[in-house]
Amino acid sequence: MKKLLLIGAATLIVSTSTFAGDYLTNTNQHAAFLRMAARGASIDVDGVYSNPAGLAFLPKNGFHLSLTGQSAYQTREIAATSGLWTLDGQETTQNYKGTASAPFIPSFHGVYKEDKWAISASFAVTGGGGKASFDNGLPMFNALAIGMLYQQQITPDKYTINTAMDGKQYIYGVQLGLSYRINDWLGVFAGGRMNYVKSGYEGYLTATFKKDIPQMGGMDIANLALDCDQSGWGITPIIGIDAKLGKWNFGAKYEFITNLNIENQTHKLEAPEAVPAEVLKPYANGEQTPSDIPAMLSVAAGYEILPNLRASVEYHFFDDKHAGMLNDRQKTLTHGTHEYLAGLEWDIIKELTISGGFQKTSYGLSDDFQTDTSFYCSSYSLGFGARVNFNAAWSIDVAYFWTNYDDYTKTLASYNSTGMKGTDVYSRTNKVFGLSLNYNF
């Protein structure tokens, strides 16, 4: 049980993606996405990410620049039900809540177009983007501590557990690429993105006898601590194509798998002396963990219903099952991630465009994939907002994006390897605000 307890503590990294997209991929890098969602067939400055081949069809030569700021707020909750918490024969539920916030996440998109050519660049947080804090820890740590202490015939009525943990993850991406208009209706793109990962996790668990236990009050009976930073980098090759056929526009993009390992910079790793050295080794300073960014396919179609009314649909596929994760966790997925998007925008007047969008995300989740430290829930999202055109050069996009998650229920015959039954219900909430300032000259 001590070995299991350490393994739980050493996987303290808490999933902190606060954006739309896949496990390690953010698809909302511009407020235009937040207000419309389906931007894979757009011909605009946000196409640097969403439809880079379409940049060859920008209507004006010269520079097209955009600076975006987003604020994302998310909660993660676990309702843990088991007879383990009291060991008195009755099942009870303990609730654990974590908050993840990213008050300001910047990104930049830039294009220079000259006739048939367009060179583009961007900087964005392409994965992760926040910090998650669980002030009362997670059920897996409490369960393992209770099980370990019970082996020593110490029951939960005799002690208190004090535990907390934080996890953070940022994947910074710098993208460069070149678009070319082959003829009046076909454009292509080739480029790449350099990704730099910076993540970290810190947590502790202590169990002490209650003060009303004679001669034992305040004595430490279990101690664990972990403080670790991680970093790594990888390159993502990207290709794209855009076809402009009358009132239709079709865009497609393929991002190849990014092979990436993150390396530990461990500042603290404390555990009972009885824990074998081979158990500690994977979490030692300098050890590396696979954390590939999966290949992604995006295909989209846009249609001009009226000169001032446009609609788009889009599909994303993330090949998660072939992207390496810690302990080959990706093999427990039932399929890669599928996303379905739709959007509509209407130019009310020359100075104002309003829009709305929808996104459905379906993960290939399984009980073996879901953990307290990193869980996901399939969802649907709604976004809406507006573009305000001040003049021919300046405009802003403002938007709000809200996500509704399906609860995921995981029932175990041996809850966290304790030998007792238990059920976890995972749930999440998410909302994102965004503003983009656009300028062309």
Side-chain angles (χ1 to χ4, degrees), residues 71-93:
S71 297
Y73 302 91
Q74 189 175 95
T75 63
R76 301 131 191 271
E77 298 185 52
I78 306 172
T81 302
S82 178
L84 177 70
W85 307 128
T86 57
L87 293 176
D88 61 0
Q90 301 295 319
E91 285 196 345
T92 58
T93 299

Side-chain angles (χ1 to χ4, degrees), residues 86-87 146 149-150 152-159 209:
T86 57
L87 293 176
I146 291 171
L149 295 172
Y150 187 64
Q152 303 174 43
Q153 298 182 341
I154 305 174
T155 54
D157 59 312
K158 294 184 173 62
Y159 59 86
F209 281 110

Side-chain angles (χ1 to χ4, degrees), residues 10 13-14 24 168-172 195-201 228-234 258-266 281-293 324-326:
I13 186 165
V14 179
L24 289 176
K168 61 183 179 181
Q169 183 186 63
Y170 298 88
I171 303 178
Y172 303 101
N195 305 275
Y196 176 72
V197 179
K198 190 66 176 177
S199 59
Y201 39 97
C228 182
D229 292 319
Q230 295 180 318
S231 61
W233 66 276
T258 307
N259 297 123
L260 192 152
N261 284 324
I262 53 177
E263 183 174 329
N264 293 346
Q265 298 91 47
T266 303
K281 185 177 182 297
Y283 315 106
N285 187 56
E287 289 295 316
Q288 295 189 352
T289 300
S291 186
D292 294 346
I293 300 173
M325 299 182 185
L326 177 65

Side-chain angles (χ1 to χ4, degrees), residues 382-430:
L382 300 174
F384 61 89
R387 169 168 288 186
V388 180
N389 299 299
F390 298 110
N391 52 45
W394 290 95
S395 66
I396 61 170
D397 291 281
V398 292
Y400 172 74
F401 191 83
W402 168 83
T403 302
N404 179 75
Y405 292 91
D406 300 330
D407 289 349
Y408 187 97
T409 301
K410 177 179 178 178
T411 301
L412 296 170
S414 179
Y415 189 69
N416 288 296
S417 303
T418 59
M420 299 190 69
K421 294 189 301 181
T423 299
D424 286 329
V425 179
Y426 298 119
S427 59
R428 300 172 68 152
T429 67
N430 185 57

Side-chain angles (χ1 to χ4, degrees), residues 92-115:
T92 58
T93 299
Q94 292 188 355
N95 294 300
Y96 299 79
K97 183 175 182 178
T99 58
S101 64
F104 178 71
I105 299 180
S107 61
F108 168 79
H109 298 75
V111 184
Y112 178 74
K113 179 179 180 289
E114 184 64 33
D115 297 328

Side-chain angles (χ1 to χ4, degrees), residues 137-200:
L138 290 171
M140 65 181 292
F141 302 113
N142 288 8
L144 291 168
I146 291 171
M148 182 183 71
L149 295 172
Y150 187 64
Q151 286 184 342
Q152 303 174 43
Q153 298 182 341
I154 305 174
T155 54
D157 59 312
K158 294 184 173 62
Y159 59 86
T160 58
I161 291 176
N162 186 23
T163 179
M165 61 197 63
D166 294 328
K168 61 183 179 181
Q169 183 186 63
Y170 298 88
I171 303 178
Y172 303 101
V174 176
Q175 180 178 313
L176 293 172
L178 192 64
S179 305
Y180 178 68
R181 189 177 75 246
I182 296 174
N183 52 39
D184 290 342
W185 62 273
L186 185 64
V188 293
F189 169 83
R193 182 184 307 120
M194 195 282 284
N195 305 275
Y196 176 72
V197 179
K198 190 66 176 177
S199 59

Side-chain angles (χ1 to χ4, degrees), residues 34 57 60 148 201 254 272 283 301 309 343 360 401 427:
L34 299 179
F57 292 103
K60 293 181 180 179
M148 182 183 71
Y201 39 97
Y254 186 75
Y283 315 106
L309 183 64
K360 172 68 176 177
F401 191 83
S427 59

